[in-house]
Amino acid sequence: MTSSELWDHETADRYDTEEAPRSTAAFLGPTLDFLAALAGDGRALEFAIGTGRVGVPLRERGVPVSGIELSEHMAAVLRRKIDEDRLPVTVGDMATTVVDGTFSLVYVVYNTIGNLLTQDEQVECFRNAARHLEPGGRFVVELGVPPLRLLPPTQTAVPFDVSARHLGFDTFDLVEQLLVSHHFTREQDGRYRRGSCRQRYAWPAELDLMAKIAGLRLERRVADWEGTPFTQDSGGHISVWRKPV
């Protein structure tokens, strides 16, 4: 078990409903185009595949996909969508779990590498990606840029969503490089459900050093799946590191 928080049955069952806007064909199109192009004729491995929001439609595009997922509950929801023969999933953590074979693409999306709460574990995640990659293969990470520029002196919280159904804000531990995302979600009966999750944030330059430790080289960094140039004002990035041939 890593330091990642283990998502329970209730969280897994409502995950697809809550992430429905990010699961449409229109929203996922650029993501799938990006990943399919990198996979080419090879196989893809998704770290923390969850309920298959990305992995299942990528498999439906013809890319052979395998997954690693820490939560048995999340994997069970995925299994309702597609059988093991078409998309095999191994229950385990993305820092140390090893599956058979090599891949042309390993990827982890939606800030999920931050679920590993220590720098050592994040380094091991890069090493695990490199372990699974064939020569010339790529490791792709989608991750937000820590919004610390928005923090006035002495303030430790930044809102990221204020809407009729949801209030979300992040609080930061600047010493330990940790953030906690707090969610207040309005249910159908008008009551609010409170939830939170912890992550370790990392800067792009820190990730590049992790990649170097794992023997990978930065090939490309863009601001989003559409390929928008990455700048100092970008709120997130898609980074691609390649294993030397």
Side-chain angles (χ1 to χ4, degrees), residues 1-238:
M1 179 70 69
T2 71
S3 60
S4 297
E5 295 177 349
L6 190 60
W7 288 26
D8 60 18
H9 184 276
E10 291 184 357
T11 303
D13 280 348
R14 63 172 177 259
Y15 183 83
D16 284 349
T17 299
E18 294 183 344
E19 294 300 328
R22 301 178 61 90
S23 304
T24 64
F27 183 93
L28 285 176
T31 305
L32 302 178
D33 291 342
F34 194 107
L35 296 175
L38 290 182
D41 296 328
R43 304 165 64 212
L45 174 63
E46 181 172 354
F47 285 173
I49 194 169
T51 65
R53 182 181 68 89
V54 174
V56 171
L58 186 61
R59 179 65 184 91
E60 291 172 347
R61 284 204 176 194
V63 178
V65 177
S66 297
I68 293 174
E69 172 54 43
L70 182 62
S71 169
E72 294 185 18
H73 303 295
M74 296 287 279
V77 174
L78 179 149
R79 190 54 62 223
R80 300 171 196 165
K81 306 172 184 178
I82 190 169
D83 60 51
E84 178 75 14
D85 291 338
R86 294 189 62 213
L87 202 164
V89 175
T90 300
V91 174
D93 69 84
M94 58 183 160
T96 63
T97 301
V98 178
V99 301
D100 292 336
T102 58
F103 300 82
S104 61
L105 173 67
V106 178
Y107 65 94
V108 55
V109 299
Y110 203 11
N111 302 323
T112 310
I113 195 170
N115 291 357
L116 299 169
L117 300 179
T118 70
Q119 186 182 69
D120 285 344
E121 288 175 346
Q122 290 180 352
V123 169
E124 288 306 312
C125 182
F126 273 81
R127 284 177 166 157
N128 201 27
R131 183 182 299 121
H132 285 93
L133 287 172
E134 60 191 32
R138 278 99 167 181
F139 181 40
V140 175
V141 172
E142 177 189 18
L143 189 62
V145 175
L148 302 189
R149 293 170 65 188
L150 302 178
L151 284 174
T154 74
Q155 183 172 314
T156 60
V158 173
F160 58 83
D161 184 31
V162 179
S163 61
R165 290 198 63 252
H166 179 255
L167 170 64
F169 61 92
D170 292 328
T171 54
F172 294 85
D173 181 333
L174 303 183
V175 174
E176 297 297 329
Q177 211 163 304
L178 296 173
L179 69 84
V180 180
S181 291
H182 304 266
H183 301 269
F184 292 85
T185 305
R186 187 172 183 175
E187 303 285 18
Q188 293 295 330
D189 60 7
R191 293 182 298 175
Y192 279 84
R193 171 172 44 83
R194 180 178 182 177
S196 64
C197 62
R198 294 186 299 160
Q199 291 195 327
R200 180 184 187 273
Y201 63 84
W203 300 96
E206 184 181 4
L207 299 178
D208 290 342
L209 182 56
M210 294 180 189
K212 185 175 182 179
I213 291 171
L216 305 176
R217 299 174 181 172
L218 180 67
E219 181 177 71
R220 184 184 183 195
R221 174 168 290 128
V222 292
D224 52 39
W225 296 107
E226 288 84 359
T228 303
F230 180 76
T231 72
Q232 64 178 2
D233 296 319
S234 298
H237 61 97
I238 314 297

